[in-house]
């Protein structure tokens, strides 16, 4: 499993539109083969800081998502207006929180 997590920063005046666009993308993304979770939360609306959290079954599923037309369009629309510090991690030893 792959875990994608980190922060995205947008101008505070763009937060509402960014969230609306991201929600639209999330609807399609959550239906994609290999998607386990796709979520974002506003950490600081004044600073325009959002926490991103995704889980994917494997690299093939993530690559298909990144190459999908709606993902490419979202990134193109926001590329010059967002900064991100989002990273990918391999989860090779998944277990319950209390295990």
């Amino acid at each position: 499993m792959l875990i994608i997590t980190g922060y995205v920063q947008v101008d505070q005046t763009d937060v509402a539109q960014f969230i609306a666009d991201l929600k639209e993308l999330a609807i399609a993304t959550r239906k994609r083969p290999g998607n386990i979770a796709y979520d974002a939360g506003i950490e600081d609306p004044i600073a325009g800081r959002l926490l991103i959290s995704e889980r994917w079954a494997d690299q093939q599923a993530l690559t298909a998502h990144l190459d999908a037309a709606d993902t490419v369009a979202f990134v193109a629309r926001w590329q010059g207006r967002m900064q991100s510090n989002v990273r990918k991690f391999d989860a090779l030893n998944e277990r319950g929180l209390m295990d």
Side-chain angles (χ1 to χ4, degrees):
M1 175 176 48
L2 299 176
I3 298 172
I4 313 299
T5 190
Y7 293 97
V8 171
Q9 185 93 26
V10 298
D11 190 274
Q12 70 180 27
T13 60
D14 288 333
V15 170
Q17 186 60 56
F18 184 84
I19 290 294
D21 289 354
L22 188 59
K23 282 183 179 181
E24 185 177 318
L25 178 62
I27 291 168
T29 299
R30 290 179 181 130
K31 297 176 184 174
R32 293 193 171 129
N35 177 259
I36 300 167
Y38 190 85
D39 301 291
I42 301 172
E43 181 181 273
D44 185 344
I46 295 172
R49 186 174 163 101
L50 295 94
L51 175 63
I52 304 298
S53 176
E54 305 175 29
R55 290 186 296 151
W56 294 90
D58 53 34
Q59 185 61 52
Q60 182 179 357
L62 176 59
T63 298
H65 162 66
L66 295 174
D67 291 342
D70 54 355
T71 304
V72 171
F74 176 86
V75 171
R77 186 167 47 252
W78 286 98
Q79 189 168 21
R81 298 187 290 162
M82 71 175 176
Q83 297 175 346
S84 72
N85 182 16
V86 177
R87 299 291 182 253
K88 174 176 65 175
F89 300 89
D90 295 298
L92 302 175
N93 189 19
E94 182 180 358
R95 58 197 176 280
L97 179 62
M98 303 306 282
D99 294 345

